[in-house]
Amino acid sequence: MTTSILVPVFAALGDETRWSILVALGEEDASASALAGRLPVTRQAIAKHLAVLQEVGLVESVRVGRELRYRVLGSQLSETAKRLDRIGAQWDRRLAAIKRIAEDL
Amino acid sequence: MTTSILVPVFAALGDETRWSILVALGEEDASASALAGRLPVTRQAIAKHLAVLQEVGLVESVRVGRELRYRVLGSQLSETAKRLDRIGAQWDRRLAAIKRIAEDL
DNA sequence: GATTACTGCAACCACATAGTTGCATTAACC
DNA sequence: GGTTAATGCAACTATGTGGTTGCAGTAATC
């Protein structure tokens, strides 16, 4: 169970502003400056958030002319979801087993 | 897309110690004191973490005699995983659409 | 009923981080 | 080539939070 790699991803997802950024990027790719126009925080704050998101593989960047355009990576989210589901199912199996034993008494 | 409810769950999952607690509880139900015996943090720290986890529905507690025993809830994890996967798939669909358009040119 | 073992609460500390402002830099575009 | 509009970097602030210690409360157990 390789949870250690997952934790930073969750930490990245555990912030409202970062979700706003992800949702905005989910609609269309954008630069930090462009995002700053839509969100109630400065460009620099957004740049920091994008660095965090890129670090854990939730976004990637591409240079387009003089701007750095960011793109959201749904695959990383789906991958994380799969692992989560597996762990959750495992825990539920144990619970079910306990209930079964209790009923057998 | 109701992400607002998800964010606190991810924030809760974005901490190594809390994962240690969840993993320990995944093996068997335990009280804060019992967990303190296994993990390198004090009981009080663990109690705070359990409060956070309970707040977002990742664990529940049951009184057993004079101890408060905690149990991990895999269902909440699976539910979160489902939502994550849906969002990730949506983002990937958009990306795929863009690629399709690019190839059509 | 006294002891024991657990939980609950409060104050406090240190560090991380979300946010800001300000300035330097770099690359398009006219 | 100068202007403009983007990014990059640094310093600083404030707040949140993970962690601690210490003590009070409470409920089993002998």
Side-chain angles (χ1 to χ4, degrees), chain B residues 2-100:
Chain B
T2 59
T3 59
S4 49
I5 311 150
L6 281 180
V7 178
V9 177
F10 290 128
L13 292 174
D15 180 89
E16 294 279 2
T17 303
R18 265 185 312 255
W19 267 103
S20 308
I21 291 173
L22 288 174
V23 169
L25 289 179
E27 292 169 10
E28 62 173 338
D29 301 351
S31 66
S33 299
L35 288 167
R38 272 178 250 169
L39 302 176
V41 284
T42 59
R43 173 191 58 92
Q44 287 86 337
I46 289 177
K48 283 189 196 176
H49 284 307
L50 286 170
V52 172
L53 292 171
Q54 188 164 30
E55 183 72 24
V56 299
L58 283 168
V59 304
E60 68 179 4
S61 63
V62 186
R63 267 237 120 80
V64 179
R66 64 181 148 190
E67 74 177 5
L68 240 198
R69 192 159 296 178
Y70 288 84
R71 162 186 307 162
V72 75
L73 295 176
S75 53
Q76 168 71 344
L77 215 62
S78 304
E79 190 56 41
T80 302
K82 275 198 202 73
R83 293 199 205 163
L84 250 199
D85 189 52
R86 250 177 259 138
I87 298 170
Q90 189 177 324
W91 290 346
D92 267 348
R93 260 197 304 282
R94 191 182 68 80
L95 243 191
I98 290 172
K99 279 186 183 158
R100 222 175 302 124

Side-chain angles (χ1 to χ4, degrees), chain A residues 17-57:
Chain A
T17 304
R18 256 173 332 242
W19 266 103
S20 308
I21 292 173
L22 287 174
V23 169
L25 290 179
E27 291 169 11
E28 62 172 339
D29 301 351
S31 66
S33 299
L35 288 168
R38 272 179 248 169
L39 302 177
V41 284
T42 60
R43 172 190 60 90
Q44 287 86 337
I46 290 177
K48 283 189 195 175
H49 284 307
L50 286 169
V52 172
L53 292 171
Q54 188 164 30
E55 183 72 23
V56 300

